[in-house]
Amino acid sequence: MTNKYDLSIVGGGPGGYVAAIKAAQLGMKVALFEEDKLGGVCLNWGCIPTKSLLHSAEFMEEANHFGLDKKDLTKIALNKVVEMSRTASENLSKGVSSLMKKNKIDIYKHRAYPKKIDNEFYVKTPSDEIISKNMIIATGCKPRTIGDIKFSDLIWSSKEAMIPKFLPKKLCIIGSGAIGIEFASIYNALGSEVIVFESQGKILPQFDNDISNEAKKIFEKKGIKFELNAKIENIVEEKKSISFKNNNKNVVCDALILSVGVLPNLDKDFISTLDLNLTDTGYIGTNHNYETNVNGLFAIGDIIGAPWLAHKAMHDAINCVSYISSGKDTHKPKENHIPGCIYSLPQIATVGYTEQQLKDNNTPYKSGNFPFLANGKSQTMSNSYGFVKTLFNSETGEVLGAHLIGPDVTEMIATFGLAISSESTEDEFINTVFAHPTLSESIHESVLSAFEKPL
């Protein structure tokens, strides 16, 4: 059977399914190719289940704070913790399926190998031939490994780390980015001895220096150990342990997490058949309207490169489909306008420029800082780690960046995202009434600090 569509989408993750829904709302007939569960890595093996695990880990910390024994809790809770995270993912994946039906989007549970003939895209499945006027590639990324190391019961990517068959007494993590730090928090709270190895001279290398330094201090107080300037060699998997060398010193652990980045989900046949142009780093090259070098073929989300974030992919999806529908120019979001969040214990959130970037660019700036230790709400939560740091142009007052570490800061960062995208200045912050008692009062105080008006 031959089925014709206005738009076909390859990949059912946050970028793909949002693009499908938006296109259907705009009156297009839409096909979506996804060989696995809808929701992609984010919903099934990333953002959602890890947040469930972190919520459970936070409960463990709170229970321990109030005198309950962490070891006893862990024995009871490990299977339940994993089960809850899987249930959250399954429920949301079912929700996405319902949205597909509601919007009359046809789902093909097959891998797509499109060919372009004349001005249309053709995809064959065992029972159908799908023809589309336009196509969006939203195939995302997969975890990177080291050399020819394969993931296993003892060597974990983020996927294996979410469904552990046992709780390691000693867990090593290579990489201190968002994924590495989140799993360090989870397993530390569950009772594992955690050691994080980072090849650079600080943890969270892409973050503001003050955030990296504060995070390291807090995590070390919780018992997480760090080995900086690491040089990892000779990873060997044995029956019940992993061994490797770090700067020629032997290390042995019960399990190893590799959180060393991602690779684009593209195979050679896909690239060669469509004659796709790739960037120097292997991602699909696009212009400001998400167009590839092939007319009618678009790409969004992780597959077009950093930052690899679900909310960025969703934003790409809406912009791209709007362009396909209207033909009016859109724009990719500026990278420094996209918030970055780590849901560790404590949380970390950032948007805009770091202080070092402002120094490197010779941008005149003012910096403000307010500790959660002095915030009333955080004291009532017995969670007063961290601070709010704000950066403003000292000549124009424009907000340039915000860097937060502490309780619930991933919920607070939207305030700064809105301010940066609307080109707000310190006046808007200073003249806004912040409710009391709230964590967000720390935003107000940090801005006042930057302009020498702290209360």
Side-chain angles (χ1 to χ4, degrees):
M1 180 184 292
T2 299
N3 296 317
K4 288 197 170 186
Y5 295 91
D6 299 305
L7 176 65
S8 285
I9 300 164
V10 184
Y17 77 72
V18 169
I21 293 169
K22 181 66 175 178
Q25 289 174 344
L26 292 173
M28 298 185 202
K29 187 178 181 184
V30 183
L32 178 67
F33 293 89
E34 175 54 65
E35 59 182 332
D36 203 346
K37 291 181 179 179
L38 289 170
V41 170
C42 171
L43 196 156
N44 294 291
W45 299 106
C47 316
I48 299 303
T50 53
K51 301 311 149 302
S52 175
L53 292 171
L54 281 157
H55 177 72
S56 297
E58 188 173 21
F59 169 77
M60 295 285 194
E61 284 200 350
E62 283 289 310
N64 190 238
H65 174 76
F66 287 106
L68 297 178
D69 190 276
K70 184 188 292 187
K71 292 182 180 178
D72 290 340
L73 283 167
T74 301
K75 289 176 185 176
I76 298 169
L78 183 60
N79 291 339
K80 185 65 176 177
V81 165
V82 174
E83 180 188 336
M84 288 170 61
S85 74
R86 301 316 312 153
T87 299
S89 291
E90 289 164 9
N91 288 342
L92 287 171
S93 184
K94 290 175 183 175
V96 174
S97 296
S98 296
L99 287 172
M100 298 296 108
K101 292 178 182 177
K102 180 181 178 182
N103 287 281
K104 299 180 181 178
I105 297 161
D106 291 339
I107 307 297
Y108 292 91
K109 293 185 176 295
H110 303 282
R111 180 169 292 197
Y113 288 101
K115 293 181 180 180
K116 189 170 188 191
I117 303 174
D118 296 327
N119 290 317
E120 295 180 308
F121 296 93
Y122 288 73
V123 178
K124 286 188 176 181
T125 72
S127 57
D128 299 290
E129 181 179 57
I130 291 87
I131 304 173
S132 298
K133 181 180 178 182
N134 295 292
M135 178 172 281
I136 295 175
I137 304 172
T139 50
C141 288
K142 58 187 175 183
R144 184 190 293 272
T145 186
I146 297 176
D148 59 356
I149 298 295
K150 293 182 179 179
F151 298 117
S152 67
D153 288 343
L154 300 183
I155 300 177
W156 300 343
S157 70
S158 55
K159 182 176 182 178
E160 289 79 16
M162 273 181 267
I163 47 173
K165 295 180 180 179
F166 67 100
L167 181 64
K169 291 181 179 178
K170 182 177 180 180
L171 172 68
C172 290
I173 301 173
I174 299 177
S176 71
I179 293 172
I181 290 299
E182 285 189 5
F183 280 113
S185 284
I186 291 168
Y187 281 94
N188 170 254
L190 291 174
S192 297
E193 177 190 352
V194 178
I195 307 174
V196 180
F197 296 83
E198 171 54 54
S199 63
Q200 299 192 44
K202 68 172 190 175
I203 69 168
L204 301 168
Q206 305 303 318
F207 282 69
D208 188 88
N209 287 335
D210 286 342
I211 292 290
S212 297
N213 293 335
E214 181 76 0
K216 185 170 181 288
K217 290 177 186 177
I218 296 171
F219 294 139
E220 285 178 335
K221 285 181 181 178
K222 291 173 178 281
I224 300 171
K225 300 174 184 176
F226 295 94
E227 294 283 347
L228 303 181
N229 300 306
K231 185 177 180 182
I232 306 297
E233 297 175 303
N234 302 328
I235 299 174
V236 177
E237 181 177 359
E238 298 170 2
K239 285 186 178 180
K240 292 186 177 181
S241 65
I242 304 294
S243 64
F244 58 91
K245 289 184 180 292
N246 173 39
N247 290 317
N248 294 318
K249 293 182 180 179
N250 293 323
V251 180
V252 180
C253 55
D254 301 305
L256 174 67
I257 296 177
L258 301 183
S259 57
V260 291
V262 294
L263 292 170
N265 273 325
L266 279 175
D267 59 39
K268 292 180 181 178
D269 289 340
F270 196 105
I271 298 166
S272 60
T273 301
L274 291 171
D275 197 24
L276 268 175
N277 284 349
L278 303 183
T279 65
D280 293 340
T281 52
Y283 293 88
I284 298 177
T286 62
N287 65 11
H288 63 285
N289 290 321
Y290 304 93
E291 296 173 295
T292 70
N293 62 296
V294 180
N295 188 40
L297 183 65
F298 302 79
I300 60 173
D302 290 359
I303 200 65
I304 64 175
W308 301 283
L309 299 166
H311 46 276
K312 181 259 190 183
M314 293 175 174
H315 194 85
D316 286 350
I318 293 169
N319 278 355
C320 179
V321 171
S322 296
Y323 173 73
I324 293 171
S325 174
S326 69
K328 296 179 181 178
D329 275 1
T330 181
H331 66 279
K332 294 179 182 177
K334 295 179 181 178
E335 187 168 338
N336 67 300
H337 286 193
I338 302 171
C341 297
I342 301 179
Y343 299 82
S344 49
L345 309 174
Q347 295 180 4
I348 297 166
T350 181
V351 69
Y353 296 105
T354 66
E355 187 167 0
Q356 188 60 52
Q357 287 172 329
L358 297 180
K359 289 177 180 178
D360 292 344
N361 294 332
N362 295 315
T363 303
Y365 72 92
K366 286 186 175 183
S367 175
N369 190 301
F370 187 77
F372 280 109
L373 184 65
N375 175 266
K377 180 65 179 295
S378 68
Q379 287 288 342
T380 67
M381 299 165 61
S382 300
N383 189 350
S384 54
Y385 291 115
F387 55 77
V388 175
K389 177 178 178 178
T390 48
L391 298 166
F392 291 83
N393 187 303
S394 58
E395 294 179 352
T396 66
E398 179 187 2
V399 58
L400 298 174
H403 308 280
L404 294 70
I405 178 170
D408 294 338
V409 296
T410 58
E411 299 290 343
M412 296 166 61
I413 199 65
T415 298
F416 290 106
L418 179 62
I420 287 176
S421 64
S422 60
E423 299 182 353
S424 295
T425 68
E426 86 281 7
D427 284 340
E428 282 75 27
F429 283 96
I430 291 173
N431 294 317
T432 294
V433 178
F434 286 78
H436 174 80
T438 60
L439 296 172
S440 61
E441 287 179 282
S442 298
I443 294 173
H444 195 221
E445 290 287 354
S446 180
V447 176
L448 291 172
S449 170
F451 289 87
E452 300 176 354
K453 300 176 181 177
L455 297 178

